Amino acid sequence: MGKELLKNAAQALNNERFKLILYPTEKCDFRCVYCYEDHVGKRMSFQLVNSIKRFLEFKIPLLKLFELEWFGGEPLLEKSIVIEITSFAQTLCKEYGVTFVSVMTTNGYNLDFGTFEQLVNLGIKSFQITFDGNKENHDKYRMLAKNSSEGTFDKIWDNLLNTRKSSQQFSIAIRCHLTAINKESVESLLHKIYETFGNDTRYFVHLKEVSALGGKNDDKMCLLSSEGKRILMTEIKEKYSYLQFVEIGKDYICYAARPNTFAIRSNGSIIKCTVAMNSPLNHVGKLLPDGTLDIDANKFFLWSQGFDDMDKQKLDCPYYHCVKKME
């Protein structure tokens, strides 16, 4: 067993480290062709926000490191909730000497410079923003919910450009989606990224294949095979070696497998996986009004079975290699 896997396992089982993923809303202003979410969840209620604060009051004093991740839906549709909870968590961490880390996955459409600076000041210093290749290709796949004929590339790109004006330290992973037919489009985008951000170490490229994750258009997507993905990613990384790429190590342990990580949906339901949204086994509990957790222990630990025998497949994706087989 490698040292890196042991290190990752130790972190995943460390009860002084904790990661909380929050969905301030499950609605989204985009309707991406391959999206697997149904966008029916409402915004977090005032009561749920207060329950999360109570939970944090219990949890943070017990920790050495707390990571808060914002997800959705599109989290910036409920910016006030993001600001309220992040500010509360940051203050608690400072009070108890706990290291605070916060990240956000956003489509970038509402990430204007003022919002960006505000979030970074609150401690949200890592962002992931997705593009589907160059403007022509991107606008075919990432459309606005209110107007599918209106492109989104230009506004996201302008917002991304404006982040360069910040003097603060942060990191932005520009996630580039790969399919079996968009290689030239992605390479066009990578060239644009290098010309614009190539000398700024705050910007990274994250190559990620589009997968069939339960969306209504899964059967219409031109997906890469496992071998096709490996070949294409290797080719692109060698060709654009002057870019900073996000690298996922071979000993990676999925957040869903980690006992010290869970997510709270906008209705207060506690889940382990942000992809298997409709799996009954993914709904492992509920956050109660007083900030305590009502957890189904059998479901919860089902996601961590990979630690029993350090099975790397189960640790890499507990849903597909363990949980799904029991549904």
Side-chain angles (χ1 to χ4, degrees):
M1 190 182 302
K3 291 183 179 180
E4 190 65 25
L5 182 60
L6 285 173
K7 176 184 175 182
N8 291 339
Q11 290 178 352
L13 298 171
N14 186 342
N15 60 12
E16 292 183 319
R17 302 170 67 101
F18 184 72
K19 178 175 180 177
L20 180 64
I21 304 168
L22 294 179
Y23 290 71
T25 179
E26 290 173 40
K27 293 189 179 297
C28 186
D29 48 349
F30 281 22
R31 287 298 180 269
C32 302
V33 170
Y34 42 74
C35 187
Y36 57 88
E37 297 191 28
D38 54 24
H39 310 298
V40 298
K42 298 180 180 178
R43 74 190 298 270
M44 280 185 170
S45 66
F46 172 78
Q47 291 80 8
L48 180 54
V49 169
N50 283 337
S51 297
I52 291 170
K53 288 182 176 180
R54 293 187 184 103
F55 170 73
L56 295 178
E57 286 176 328
F58 300 147
K59 190 68 177 178
I60 285 177
L62 305 174
L63 303 174
K64 290 184 178 178
L65 182 144
F66 174 60
E67 182 175 351
L68 178 62
E69 179 172 344
W70 291 101
F71 200 67
E74 169 49 47
L76 288 180
L77 292 181
E78 298 297 344
K79 185 170 74 170
S80 62
I81 293 176
V82 172
I83 290 170
E84 181 177 355
I85 295 177
T86 305
S87 178
F88 186 82
Q90 184 190 52
T91 299
L92 277 176
C93 286
K94 286 180 179 178
E95 179 180 351
Y96 290 99
V98 176
T99 300
F100 178 63
V101 177
S102 190
V103 304
M104 176 180 285
T105 297
T106 172
N107 59 34
Y109 197 78
N110 301 294
L111 193 64
D112 58 84
F113 184 67
T115 296
F116 178 75
E117 284 282 88
Q118 186 177 22
L119 296 179
V120 173
N121 283 330
L122 284 172
I124 305 175
K125 296 183 180 291
S126 181
F127 299 81
Q128 180 171 263
I129 300 171
T130 299
F131 288 94
D132 278 70
N134 60 18
K135 173 180 169 59
E136 181 182 5
N137 195 76
H138 173 100
D139 286 344
K140 293 178 182 177
Y141 290 91
R142 299 179 66 79
M143 301 87 72
L144 287 173
K146 66 180 181 181
N147 182 2
S148 61
S149 64
E150 183 178 342
T152 61
F153 182 95
D154 288 338
K155 187 171 181 180
I156 302 171
W157 186 258
D158 286 345
N159 285 341
L160 190 59
L161 289 178
N162 284 330
T163 63
R164 295 180 304 174
K165 297 187 297 184
S166 176
S167 61
Q168 302 195 70
Q169 285 302 309
F170 59 85
S171 66
I172 295 180
I174 305 170
R175 177 164 159 161
C176 300
H177 276 163
L178 293 169
T179 70
I181 59 173
N182 73 344
K183 177 177 179 289
E184 290 183 2
S185 175
V186 168
E187 289 197 354
S188 172
L189 175 64
L190 293 177
H191 183 70
K192 186 180 181 77
I193 290 170
Y194 176 68
E195 287 185 328
T196 311
F197 304 104
N199 296 319
D200 195 325
T201 58
R202 299 175 296 181
Y203 299 86
F204 296 80
V205 172
H206 182 194
L207 297 177
K208 179 65 176 176
E209 76 282 7
V210 174
S211 301
L213 299 174
K216 63 181 180 180
N217 294 314
D218 279 358
D219 59 343
K220 301 176 184 177
M221 302 299 298
C222 296
L223 304 179
L224 287 162
S225 64
S226 296
E227 181 64 10
K229 178 189 81 169
R230 186 191 66 78
I231 292 172
L232 182 56
M233 286 191 176
T234 300
E235 180 183 334
I236 289 175
K237 287 178 180 180
E238 289 178 351
K239 184 174 182 179
Y240 295 89
S241 59
Y242 40 78
L243 288 170
Q244 293 188 112
F245 287 97
V246 174
E247 299 291 350
I248 306 297
K250 63 181 178 66
D251 290 328
Y252 165 78
I253 296 177
C254 177
Y255 64 89
R258 296 170 179 253
N260 58 6
T261 298
F262 63 72
I264 300 177
R265 295 182 63 173
S266 60
N267 63 359
S269 175
I270 296 172
I271 61 174
K272 290 293 290 174
C273 176
T274 59
V275 175
M277 299 287 283
N278 296 318
S279 167
L281 293 177
N282 191 26
H283 293 261
V284 299
K286 186 84 173 177
L287 179 66
L288 300 179
D290 65 355
T292 58
L293 309 178
D294 180 13
I295 296 289
D296 183 324
N298 290 329
K299 284 185 179 181
F300 191 89
F301 289 109
L302 180 65
W303 292 85
S304 302
Q305 286 186 72
F307 290 102
D308 293 343
D309 55 6
M310 296 305 291
D311 184 311
K312 291 177 69 173
Q313 284 191 321
K314 292 178 183 176
L315 293 173
D316 181 67
C317 185
Y319 178 63
Y320 283 104
H321 294 291
C322 183
V323 178
K324 192 172 183 179
K325 296 177 182 179
M326 303 186 67
E327 290 180 333

